[in-house]
C-alpha cells in the first residue's frame, strides 16, 4: 500500500528539521563565541573561530561514525541509480577551503593553532567528497543516498514529485531528521521496479 506524505504535520515535519538545526547551530556558536571572547578577553572574531572548532570537531566525527555505520548496515544492493546531484556551491566551497586547510597545517605558530584550524578546515572538503562520491541505491536494509542510509523502519511515507513525476520524496521518522527529505531522481524506466520494492519493504497502512 502506497503511503502518502502528510503535509500538514508540525514544524519538525516536511523537511524543516535541517534548516532549524542549522539555525540552532548558528545561535549556539554565536553565544559560545561571545562567552569565550568575554571570559578569555579575546577578540570576538577569535571567539567565533574557537567556538567553531568546539562545535565542528564533534559534528564531523559524528558524521564520520554515522557514515561508517551506514556503510556497514546497508546489506546487498538491489538497485543502483548512480551518483545524485551535488550543489555546485558546495563543491566550490570545498575546493576553496582545501588550499587554506593545507596552508594552515603548515602554520605551527601560536601554540599549534594553525594545525587545529587546518584540520578543522579539512572537514568540509572531506565531508563534501564523501557525499559527492556516494550513490543513490536501494539496498537490502533501506535506501542509501548522500552518504546516509535511511532504513526501511525509519521511512514513514513517500510520494512521487517533479515535472515527470519521477522524483522520489521520502518521509523520515528519525528523531533529528524528521519530515520529507530532498527529491531523489529515479530513471523513468525504473520507477515501476522502485514502486514494487517500496511496497514490498514498507509496512502496509503505516
Amino acid at each position: 500500500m502506497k503511503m502518502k506524505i502528510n503535509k500538514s504535520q508540525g514544524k519538525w515535519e516536511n523537511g524543516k528539521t535541517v534548516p532549524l538545526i542549522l539555525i540552532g547551530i548558528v545561535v549556539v556558536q554565536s553565544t559560545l563565541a561571545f562567552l569565550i571572547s568575554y571570559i578569555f578577553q579575546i577578540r570576538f572574531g577569535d571567539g567565533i573561530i574557537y567556538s567553531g572548532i568546539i562545535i565542528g570537531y564533534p559534528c564531523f566525527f559524528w558524521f564520520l561514525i554515522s557514515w561508517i555505520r551506514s556503510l556497514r548496515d546497508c546489506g546487498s544492493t538491489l538497485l543502483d541509480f548512480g551518483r545524485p546531484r551535488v550543489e555546485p556551491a558546495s563543491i566550490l566551497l570545498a575546493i576553496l577551503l582545501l588550499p587554506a586547510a593545507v596552508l594552515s597545517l603548515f602554520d605551527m605558530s601560536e601554540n599549534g593553532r594553525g594545525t587545529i584550524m587546518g584540520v578543522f578546515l579539512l572537514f568540509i572538503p572531506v565531508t563534501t567528497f564523501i557525499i559527492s562520491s556516494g550513490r543513490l541505491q536501494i539496498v537490502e536494509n533501506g535506501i542509501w543516498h548522500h552518504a546516509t542510509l535511511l532504513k526501511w523502519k525509519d521511512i514513514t511515507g513517500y510520494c512521487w514529485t517533479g515535472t515527470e513525476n519521477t522524483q522520489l520524496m521520502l518521509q523520515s521518522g528519525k528523531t533529528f531528521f524528521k519530515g520529507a527529505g530532498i527529491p531523489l531522481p529515479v530513471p523513468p524506466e525504473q520507477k515501476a521496479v522502485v514502486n514494487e520494492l517500496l511496497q514490498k519493504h514498507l509496512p502496509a497502512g503505516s
Side-chain angles (χ1 to χ4, degrees):
M1 178 179 178
K2 184 176 179 179
M3 298 180 288
K4 296 288 186 180
I5 291 179
N6 185 355
K7 296 184 178 180
S8 63
Q9 293 174 329
K11 65 178 181 179
W12 293 104
E13 300 294 332
N14 304 313
K16 295 181 180 180
T17 305
V18 173
L20 287 172
I21 290 176
L22 292 176
I23 292 172
I25 290 175
V26 171
V27 172
V28 171
Q29 182 177 356
S30 301
T31 305
L32 189 59
F34 174 78
L35 291 174
I36 291 174
S37 59
Y38 177 78
I39 293 172
F40 296 99
Q41 295 297 302
I42 59 176
R43 294 179 303 172
F44 183 70
D46 291 332
I48 291 178
I49 292 174
Y50 287 119
S51 64
I53 291 172
I54 292 171
I55 295 174
Y57 270 75
C59 286
F60 175 73
F61 286 111
W62 171 79
F63 167 79
L64 204 59
I65 292 170
S66 298
W67 174 61
I68 294 172
R69 288 181 61 186
S70 293
L71 281 174
R72 184 192 62 189
D73 295 340
C74 276
S76 59
T77 302
L78 304 179
L79 277 178
D80 189 332
F81 307 115
R83 290 185 174 87
R85 180 179 179 273
V86 179
E87 288 296 330
S90 300
I91 298 176
L92 178 62
L93 180 61
I95 293 173
L96 292 175
L97 284 179
L98 189 57
V102 173
L103 289 174
S104 295
L105 285 172
F106 288 99
D107 179 14
M108 301 299 293
S109 61
E110 300 186 33
N111 299 320
R113 173 177 154 181
T115 303
I116 295 174
M117 276 303 300
V119 174
F120 175 67
L121 291 175
L122 275 175
F123 291 169
I124 293 178
V126 170
T127 303
T128 303
F129 172 75
I130 290 175
I131 294 175
S132 61
S133 63
R135 307 180 70 84
L136 173 57
Q137 298 174 326
I138 294 183
V139 294
E140 183 181 356
N141 295 317
I143 296 179
W144 172 266
H145 68 94
H146 296 92
T148 303
L149 175 65
L150 185 57
K151 295 183 178 180
W152 297 121
K153 65 182 180 64
D154 294 323
I155 300 176
T156 58
Y158 73 93
C159 69
W160 294 96
T161 184
T163 54
E164 298 181 357
N165 210 32
T166 56
Q167 293 186 333
L168 177 63
M169 185 175 290
L170 302 170
Q171 181 164 282
S172 170
K174 282 187 171 183
T175 303
F176 294 108
F177 295 97
K178 208 171 202 179
I182 60 174
L184 304 174
V186 173
E189 64 273 12
Q190 292 183 305
K191 180 180 174 181
V193 182
V194 173
N195 264 326
E196 184 180 341
L197 287 170
L198 289 172
Q199 292 170 12
K200 176 182 177 182
H201 287 92
L202 298 180
S206 298

